[in-house]
Amino acid sequence: MIAKPPLVEARALSKRFGRTGGLLGSARPGPLAVAEVDLTIESGTTVALVGESGSGKSTLGRLILRLIEPDRGTIRFDGVDLLALRPRELRRMRRHFQLIFQDAGAALNPHMRVASAIAEPILVHGLAANRAERRERVARLIEQVGLDPGSGERYPHQFSGGQRQRIGIARAIACSPRLVVADEPVSALDPPIQAQIINLLLDLQAEIGLSYLFIAHDLRLVERIADRVAVMYLGRIVEEAQTAELFSRPLHPYTQALLDSTPRLRPGVAPPPALVCDLPSATEHPPGCPFHPRCPIAVAACSTERPALVDQGGGRSVACLRVTPPGPRIDR
């Protein structure tokens, strides 16, 4: 029996933005925003991308959706090479992968009624035979995300932030996609509303078999929704593991620092020490291990040797010279 390919398989994805330093004639190529990243998403699962702002999470999500073109690498969606598709073929394929934006209010057209906004992708992809069928489908979507059936005749500004995010989710699933990239979908919401949206995403996954690439800062939400977690630092994945294993036994010092920085309601317990310094800017990628200037356990070799992403067994991989036992190299 031939094994079914993963839903998403990205290999050696890299992207460099702009140029830095000097005048036009002397400017140097900018640093890699995403550097040689491999990522796999199995059908019906959730992979979370975590890391500080500027680590490359959103860029990687947009590369996988081909909203940004990679400089090198491959992206396969259910076995199809997305980078080999012509514009018309890519447009037909886009119904199968959609994006939930961080700010639903900014993503929705303020002059368009909610029903029309949700109906737009259905119309573009020709998924309803006529206006009545399209209207019926939109009504079902509005109810599916927990809004009042009569909400479709209102405008985005007439809804709360949480309600607008539900509208954004309804629009994202209007074409019955298989993959949804959720880019910080709840970061602008209050904690109780965050929990409601996370529960909605989980319910939709169980109901229609969605796969998610969930981009987030809040590790408490990641622990609730993700099957696997990939930790990014300066454009590279430095650790990847099953969620429970990563949270119970982080191996990379950056992963440990992220988990230590998560607020905990533990009166009388001193907060953990902060990282040594801020995340380097895009023009200050250090040689060797990119994390070594901030790492509490760095040794001399860390400043000159860039660690490979190494298989540690059990579906976990880590890029750190201090982590043992090493396994076979899995990067390029």
Side-chain angles (χ1 to χ4, degrees), residues 40-65:
T40 298
I41 304 174
E42 299 290 344
S43 183
T45 67
T46 299
V47 173
L49 279 178
V50 302
E52 295 164 282
S53 296
S55 59
K57 305 184 302 298
S58 294
T59 300
L60 178 56
R62 282 159 173 74
L63 286 172
I64 288 173
L65 295 177

Side-chain angles (χ1 to χ4, degrees), residues 14-21 28-35 54 59 71 234-236 280-286 306:
S14 297
K15 182 64 181 181
R16 191 186 299 273
F17 289 110
R19 304 178 73 84
T20 61
R28 301 186 305 272
L32 286 168
V34 172
T59 300
D71 295 329
L234 287 182
R236 300 177 185 272
S281 72
T283 58
E284 298 173 341
H285 282 218
R306 188 176 297 280

Side-chain angles (χ1 to χ4, degrees), residues 160-163 165-166 186 189-198:
S160 68
Q163 290 172 328
Q165 195 57 282
R166 289 176 184 268
V186 297
L189 306 177
D190 294 334
I193 308 302
Q194 288 181 344
Q196 293 175 18
I197 298 299
I198 292 297

Side-chain angles (χ1 to χ4, degrees), residues 22-267:
L23 300 175
L24 290 178
S26 60
R28 301 186 305 272
L32 286 168
V34 172
E36 299 288 326
V37 167
D38 292 352
L39 190 70
T40 298
I41 304 174
E42 299 290 344
S43 183
T45 67
T46 299
V47 173
L49 279 178
V50 302
E52 295 164 282
S53 296
S55 59
K57 305 184 302 298
S58 294
T59 300
L60 178 56
R62 282 159 173 74
L63 286 172
I64 288 173
L65 295 177
R66 265 198 76 179
L67 296 175
I68 299 173
E69 294 297 315
D71 295 329
R72 58 165 297 186
T74 61
I75 311 164
R76 302 190 75 85
F77 183 86
D78 201 20
V80 176
D81 184 353
L82 292 187
L83 298 179
L85 297 179
R86 296 177 180 178
R88 183 174 296 180
E89 296 170 329
L90 179 60
R91 180 175 178 176
R92 287 198 297 266
M93 181 66 77
R94 285 200 183 280
R95 61 161 293 197
H96 300 296
F97 41 85
Q98 295 291 315
L99 176 65
I100 299 173
F101 295 90
Q102 178 179 0
D103 186 352
L108 294 169
N109 187 334
H111 305 293
M112 185 178 287
R113 295 181 193 271
V114 162
S116 298
I118 297 172
E120 189 173 36
I122 299 172
L123 181 64
V124 166
H125 291 283
L127 301 179
N130 50 52
R131 183 177 297 180
E133 183 179 331
R134 188 165 63 247
R135 199 160 39 231
E136 181 182 346
R137 186 163 179 163
V138 168
R140 286 200 306 269
L141 286 163
I142 290 173
E143 289 191 79
Q144 197 170 13
V145 297
L147 293 175
D148 185 90
S151 301
E153 295 307 308
R154 294 156 61 189
Y155 291 91
H157 73 272
Q158 296 175 292
F159 294 87
S160 68
Q163 290 172 328
R164 283 195 294 269
Q165 195 57 282
R166 289 176 184 268
I167 296 165
I169 293 171
R171 182 179 165 91
I173 66 171
C175 294
S176 301
R178 300 182 61 192
L179 171 72
V180 171
V181 174
D183 190 358
E184 299 278 3
V186 297
S187 62
L189 306 177
D190 294 334
I193 308 302
Q194 288 181 344
Q196 293 175 18
I197 298 299
I198 292 297
N199 288 337
L200 172 61
L201 293 174
L202 289 169
D203 290 343
L204 291 172
Q205 185 174 53
E207 183 179 342
I208 58 181
L210 286 173
S211 303
Y212 294 124
L213 179 61
F214 187 83
I215 299 169
H217 287 92
D218 193 329
L219 296 179
R220 293 169 298 182
L221 299 176
V222 167
E223 189 174 19
R224 166 120 174 85
I225 196 172
D227 299 292
R228 292 185 61 79
V229 180
V231 181
M232 288 194 73
Y233 188 79
L234 287 182
R236 300 177 185 272
I237 291 180
V238 298
E239 183 165 6
E240 185 177 358
Q242 296 290 334
T243 303
E245 185 177 5
L246 184 133
F247 274 79
S248 63
R249 193 172 63 91
L251 295 183
H252 197 284
Y254 181 59
T255 308
Q256 296 171 12
L258 289 178
L259 291 174
D260 285 343
S261 68
T262 303
R264 295 176 176 86
L265 297 176
R266 298 174 61 189

